[in-house]
Amino acid sequence: MFAAENGLKGDPRLQAISNAIRVVPHFPKQGIMFQDITTLLLDHKAFKHTVDIFVERYKDMDISVVAGVEARGFMFGPSIALAIGAKFVPLRKPKKLPGEVIAEAYELEYGRDCLEMHVGAVEAGERAIVIDDLVATGGTLSAAIRLLERFGAQVVECGCVIGLREVKGQLRLNGKPLYILVEPREIDGC
């Protein structure tokens, strides 16, 4: 579900967020239109709008865990967690967390990857959201959901700054709602 279809239609913050995202053609390979959120982070107003919209959505949902997917979910997740009074749980690539971890492998378009989380980071019954910058196929979000649910957390929703209107991977999210702020930009208007 897009924010503009859920009460924010015409909200100028969404346009400001979209305008702040730089499009880098053919990165990291030919044919990819990379959605670079570093320019969003440089625009303090657009960055604040991004966090504020997520906070407005989640503040009254009794969320106790905000799980951020490495690495860009780390840029938004902690601010959201602080604002709604939840803990932040980093979901990292392999061998980045010290101590005992639990892992969840997932399929990518061209291979496999894995997310890890500290054992004991979440408890059974905790209500969680998963935050990332972009959703395309849903593979990473699906792995994040499975990882949290293995410890008994209840994943309420996944939130992404950018998402394709026809997210092919939404079926992979096991019925979990997906909240997206803006669609990918096609050209760099900066």
Side-chain angles (χ1 to χ4, degrees):
M1 154 192 348
F2 281 86
E5 298 166 353
N6 190 48
L8 295 180
K9 185 173 184 163
D11 190 318
R13 297 178 298 175
L14 295 176
Q15 190 61 51
I17 291 165
S18 182
N19 290 345
I21 298 167
R22 176 174 55 172
V23 178
V24 182
H26 311 297
F27 182 83
K29 62 182 182 177
Q30 189 68 26
I32 301 292
M33 298 294 279
F34 187 78
Q35 306 292 308
D36 181 11
I37 62 153
T38 61
T39 51
L40 169 67
L41 301 172
L42 294 172
D43 181 335
H44 72 280
K45 288 180 183 176
F47 185 22
K48 183 176 184 329
H49 293 330
T50 303
V51 173
D52 287 350
I53 291 170
F54 283 125
V55 169
E56 290 165 13
R57 177 150 181 91
Y58 299 122
K59 67 182 179 183
D60 296 322
M61 290 189 177
D62 297 319
I63 303 299
S64 56
V65 174
V66 176
V69 177
E70 185 170 340
R72 293 175 194 94
F74 295 1
M75 296 175 188
F76 303 101
S79 296
I80 296 165
L82 284 172
I84 66 172
K87 62 184 169 183
F88 176 75
V89 175
L91 304 179
R92 304 238 25 211
K93 300 293 182 178
K95 302 187 186 317
K96 301 281 185 173
L97 291 171
E100 187 179 359
V101 298
I102 185 170
E104 185 68 38
Y106 60 99
E107 296 292 327
L108 294 170
E109 196 171 345
Y110 300 106
R112 293 178 57 84
D113 209 341
C114 184
L115 287 176
E116 293 182 346
M117 177 178 73
H118 276 126
V119 171
V122 298
E123 297 176 15
E126 287 191 297
R127 292 172 53 83
I129 57 172
V130 178
I131 300 293
D132 204 356
D133 70 324
L134 183 138
V135 58
T137 67
T140 306
L141 292 177
S142 181
I145 291 166
R146 290 192 308 271
L147 194 57
L148 292 161
E149 288 181 340
R150 284 170 60 187
F151 278 102
Q154 176 191 355
V155 177
V156 175
E157 187 168 87
C158 296
C160 294
V161 178
I162 309 162
L164 303 174
R165 183 156 293 281
E166 65 288 340
V167 176
K168 296 173 180 71
Q170 191 156 2
L171 297 175
R172 298 169 80 176
L173 301 182
N174 297 325
K176 303 298 181 201
L178 176 60
Y179 187 70
I180 299 168
L181 300 190
V182 299
E183 292 183 67
R185 294 190 41 228
E186 293 297 320
I187 56 171
D188 187 4
C190 297

